[in-house]
Structures are given as structure tokens and as C-alpha cells.
Amino acid sequence: DIVMLAPHKERSTGIMFPGLCNGMSFTGCGVRIKYGFVKVYAVGTYMDPMAMSAVKKQGPAAIGKALLDTQYPRTIRIVMNRGLSIEKYTAAIVEAIGPRMNGEDLEKLEEFKKLNPPVDLVEGAEMEMTVRGNIMLYKNALGGVGQIDS
């Protein structure tokens, strides 16, 4: 039997996320809101179903721990809900990720900025971050792919 994974809609923006992305299964989505009402982009999370299958049996605490562990492969798919300058986009990502880095590898944030071409983002532009251990593959809005090792 072939199992078709249905797309999922982010509620507040209506942006659709496919059931699969880079071979990983959709696990949830949300929206980045700035100034309390501006819906900047929707973000979907995809996890490796094989890696997560054993974790699911261990309950919510184990799932929560695995979601924070980069040894469990994942893809973060960002879809713009509105046009935005590339500078504001990279600043928003750095603002979201920087505090989670605990002061380590902060030069990687500059590498991330350089992976984005100097063109503004349009509504519907898509970017993907695939994390496998210490490696992040990044696909920018123009389809260019780069890698950051940490």
C-alpha cells in the first residue's frame, strides 16, 4: 500500500506545508509574529520518521528531549507570508537562533547570513534548513544550497 501524506495548513496564514520534505515527515508548524500582529513567515518542522519511531514509544518527555537534540535529523521549512528585505529576514533568524547557541559558534551566524543572496524576499519565498548532527544544509530562496559545520 502507498501511504499519501496530506499537506498541512498553518492556521493563521493559510500557508500549506507538504507531508514530506527532504524525506522527513511533517511534525508541526507555526508562525513568526513581530510587533504582536505582523505575520512574517510560517515555519514547518519535519523529523526523520525512523529516528523518531523509538522515541515516540517513550512518551512526551523523551519526545521533547529529542526535539532539542540535533542528533535527530530534522528540516525546518520557512515560507514567507509577506515581502521582506533579506537583512530583516537574516536578523530575525539570528534573533531566534542566537540565544539558543549559549555563546558557542557565534561566527556561524555570519556564515548563515552569507548563504543568502542580496535580494529581497517575496511573499511565498521558501527556505529550508536541514540539520543532521553538526551539519546544517541550507537552501536559500533562490534554490542555492550551502553548508555550515559546527
Side-chain angles (χ1 to χ4, degrees):
D1 290 344
I2 297 175
V3 177
M4 298 299 290
L5 295 172
H8 302 269
K9 184 189 292 189
E10 195 288 312
R11 266 185 300 149
S12 65
T13 62
I15 292 173
M16 299 297 291
F17 288 90
L20 288 174
C21 182
N22 298 332
M24 297 188 208
S25 298
F26 178 84
T27 57
C29 60
V31 64
R32 165 87 171 180
I33 296 176
K34 194 72 174 172
Y35 309 117
F37 64 92
V38 178
K39 298 171 186 169
V40 182
Y41 57 79
V43 59
T45 302
Y46 297 79
M47 300 291 290
D48 181 333
M50 298 302 289
M52 291 299 290
S53 62
V55 174
K56 287 181 184 177
K57 296 174 186 170
Q58 298 173 26
I63 292 170
K65 187 175 179 183
L67 290 174
L68 298 174
D69 186 344
T70 59
Q71 296 308 309
Y72 291 92
R74 79 224 27 238
T75 292
I76 306 299
R77 184 170 177 263
I78 297 171
V79 182
M80 298 306 298
N81 189 51
R82 54 175 301 186
L84 191 68
S85 74
I86 195 65
E87 292 81 12
K88 287 184 179 179
Y89 164 75
T90 55
I93 298 298
V94 167
E95 178 183 306
I97 295 174
R100 297 181 182 128
M101 296 176 69
N102 299 320
E104 297 178 23
D105 291 331
L106 294 178
E107 72 279 1
K108 303 299 179 182
L109 296 174
E110 290 304 314
E111 285 183 44
F112 169 76
K113 289 179 186 178
K114 292 176 185 174
L115 292 176
N116 291 283
V119 296
D120 290 341
L121 300 172
V122 297
E123 182 178 344
E126 301 176 11
M127 289 70 62
E128 295 174 0
M129 299 174 201
T130 300
V131 178
R132 294 179 186 273
N134 294 338
I135 297 172
M136 180 188 80
L137 296 176
Y138 179 71
K139 183 172 83 172
N140 65 37
L142 298 180
V145 177
Q147 177 175 319
I148 297 177
D149 301 319
S150 66

